[in-house]
Amino acid sequence: RECLEYVTGGGHSGSDVQLEELLRLYTTLQQRRTVAEWVVDNGVDVDRLDVRRFVVFGVIHGLLRRVHRYPILSEPRPRSEDESAEPDVGLEPRILGMLDGAHPLDEISVASGLDAVTLRGKFSLHGKVEYMYM
């Protein structure tokens, strides 16, 4: 009931959201799928349910756990002599050094000042990047 009140608050009209629906939605969350994909796949009505609060409640109360993505530069791409040397084309060596599986994508994002989507695009300029999820 606490969950029901929390996730339907904040301006959402939640009078028609049922506890059973919330429990079912918690069971459908999976690793390696974005929350946006989950919303579409499960037909979540964002006017009835505050998805951000739904996830926060789940994490705080142990129903969900955060899975971090750790990038690893597995196959560096050799640089050619004619490549541009502009600094914003790729990533600085300090950031490239963090692609060793020991640093989560969030940490690399903070260190570089770039969002995760931009980082993933820049990673591809440097070679094949694989991810560990933990």
Side-chain angles (χ1 to χ4, degrees), residues 69-80:
R69 185 184 312 190
Y70 293 80
I72 303 167
L73 184 59
S74 60
E75 295 177 22
R77 186 172 62 87
R79 286 186 60 95
S80 64

Side-chain angles (χ1 to χ4, degrees), residues 22-117:
L22 295 179
L23 293 173
R24 181 191 64 77
L25 288 172
Y26 275 119
T27 65
T28 61
L29 285 163
Q30 300 173 4
Q31 293 181 4
R32 297 188 183 150
R33 291 183 55 216
T34 66
V35 173
E37 292 169 341
W38 171 81
V39 166
V40 171
D41 292 348
N42 289 282
V44 176
D45 184 349
V46 295
D47 291 328
R48 294 175 41 227
L49 178 73
D50 185 326
V51 175
R52 182 188 57 82
R53 286 175 163 249
F54 178 80
V55 171
V56 167
F57 186 91
V59 171
I60 289 172
H61 292 279
L63 301 170
L64 304 173
R65 69 179 172 88
R66 171 80 192 274
V67 176
H68 293 276
R69 185 184 312 190
Y70 293 80
I72 303 167
L73 184 59
S74 60
E75 295 177 22
R77 186 172 62 87
R79 286 186 60 95
S80 64
E81 291 181 24
D82 61 329
E83 283 186 31
S84 170
E86 294 179 41
D88 37 287
V89 169
L91 295 167
E92 57 185 272
R94 171 180 71 90
I95 300 300
L96 283 174
M98 296 176 81
L99 302 181
D100 59 0
H103 304 277
L105 189 58
D106 290 349
E107 179 185 347
I108 298 170
S109 179
V110 170
S112 67
L114 300 170
D115 63 89
V117 174

